[in-house]
Amino acid sequence: MSGLTAEVVIVGGGPAGLTAAIALASAGVETALVARAPTASDPRTSALLEGSVKALDALGVWQHCRQQAAPLRAIRIIDDTARLVRAPEVYFAASEIGLDAFGYNIENRFLIAALEARARELSALARIEDEAVAVESADEQVTVRCGRGSALSARLAIGAEGRRSLCRAAAGIDMRGRTYAQTALTFNLGHSRPHHDTSSEFHTAVGPFTLVPLPHKRSSLVFVVDPAEVADLSILSNAEMAAEIERRSHSILGKIEVEAHRGAFPLAVETAARFGAGRVALIGEAAHVIAPIGAQGLNLGLRDAATIGELVVGAHRDGHDVGKLTDRYDHMRRADATSRKLAVDLLNRSLLSDFLPLQGARAAGLFMMDRIGPLRRAIMREGVTPWASQPRLMRGEAL
Ligand SMILES: Cc1cc2nc3c(=O)[nH]c(=O)nc-3n(C[C@H](O)[C@H](O)[C@H](O)COP(=O)(O)OP(=O)(O)OC[C@H]3O[C@@H](n4cnc5c(N)ncnc54)[C@H](O)[C@@H]3O)c2cc1C
């Protein structure tokens, strides 16, 4: 590694970047992580599907946060559109496909803390608490320059900086997509009735309203609204908001108490034209942004981290240049990311559309899922274990 700071430099200390850093450093790859000092903690939760939980377990992260996670044993989809064509309620039980749970829901602040705790245990991981301000990719190496003046050279840079990725811009990769006329409001709630480890997704004409279990009698809520509604809703007191949430959830969880830390996230669908070019690879939301429907976003990001981890560790062990695998990485991630994007986008647009045939197709699809057991089970298996991508970490195997 003459002249290099590390074999790999990762920019961005969100869940995708931290997971990639842990995957590499725990397999002995010298890794530098450039991560901004945390400002406010992320108010969201993440429903992590089975493969993600296995990967975090294999990386020694899950033991640091499993106590704060709640199992997702069932998912209900309820058509709450009050339209002419409505779908039946569909109920997915993990036991139908031989699983104890589809996955676990955890507050992002606990997930990040667990990742940080594991990262601190790894001697091959150097953490630079700073902001990357420039990325320069050359034939033999890539250099990341930081705000306080340090420069880090490596064979490969992994961009994990979220939607506005510096690495992506430096590699000349375009982001394609569009914004939706939707904002996701996020809340954590206490409630008087148990959730029975069941996530309830109400489909409304402006988007989903999804209650996801947290430990004990608590749940997280992703409440998708028209951006024009945000101002009116954000001035509601906690008691007024609790009453509004109870009304919109048809009191299925009883009396609601809204906790502190609300969030608001404008929604978009965006995909990078390539997931890697030259000596730069992109993971997580630096590579793809999708709407929060069916808990796919971070699960995709963790599969990115697991895949780049597997490729880099393999090349490192074989004595190959780890910066020469970005074409292969792009090829390996495209089908998974594209299929999730298309499915989530179609479902979201079918909710928003007033076009009767599209509403009819959506209702017919949900009707068939409800009635045809093998179809329902195939969709559940694909949701949890995508055919297009099962990197080793997602199967619980160490790198
Ligand atoms: C309302 C909502 C609910 C969601 N729920 C789920 C769910 O249940 N399950 C699921 O799988 N997904 C979910 N998602 C998606 C999930 O939250 C994202 O996919 C995930 O947070 C993206 O993680 P990331 O690490 O790629 O990016 P981020 O979390 O955006 O992290 C990027 C990090 O990089 C840092 N950074 C940026 N630029 C620089 C720089 N120049 N130098 C240094 N650091 C930099 C940032 O400060 C940040 O810490 C949800 C999304 C939303 C909006």
Side-chain angles (χ1 to χ4, degrees), residues 11-18 34-37 39 42 44-49 52 105 108 112 130-133 160-166 184-186 212 221-222 265-267 283-286 288 290-292 294-301:
V11 185
L18 276 162
V34 181
R36 278 180 186 149
T39 43
D42 187 336
R44 289 171 292 183
T45 67
S46 292
L48 299 172
L49 299 174
S52 298
N105 190 38
N108 285 12
I112 297 277
D130 203 349
E131 178 169 18
V133 292
E161 325 93 315
R163 289 185 180 195
R164 278 182 284 280
S165 165
L166 185 71
L185 304 178
T186 59
V212 193
L221 169 65
V222 177
F265 299 84
L267 299 188
I283 65 171
E285 287 201 337
H288 41 68
I290 57 176
Q296 295 297 326
L298 180 56
N299 287 285
L300 264 179

Side-chain angles (χ1 to χ4, degrees), residues 49-64:
L49 299 174
E50 199 211 14
S52 298
V53 174
K54 280 188 181 169
L56 293 173
D57 200 21
L59 291 172
V61 175
W62 193 237
Q63 68 202 58
H64 291 289

Side-chain angles (χ1 to χ4, degrees), residues 8 16 31 46 55 68 77 116 125 148 151 154 165 207 250 262-263 301 309 314 338 342 355 366 384 393:
V8 178
T31 303
S46 292
Q68 284 100 16
I77 298 182
E116 301 261 16
L125 179 56
R148 287 200 281 270
S165 165
H250 305 277
R262 304 176 181 193
T338 305
L342 291 176
F355 186 50
L366 288 169
V384 176
L393 279 171

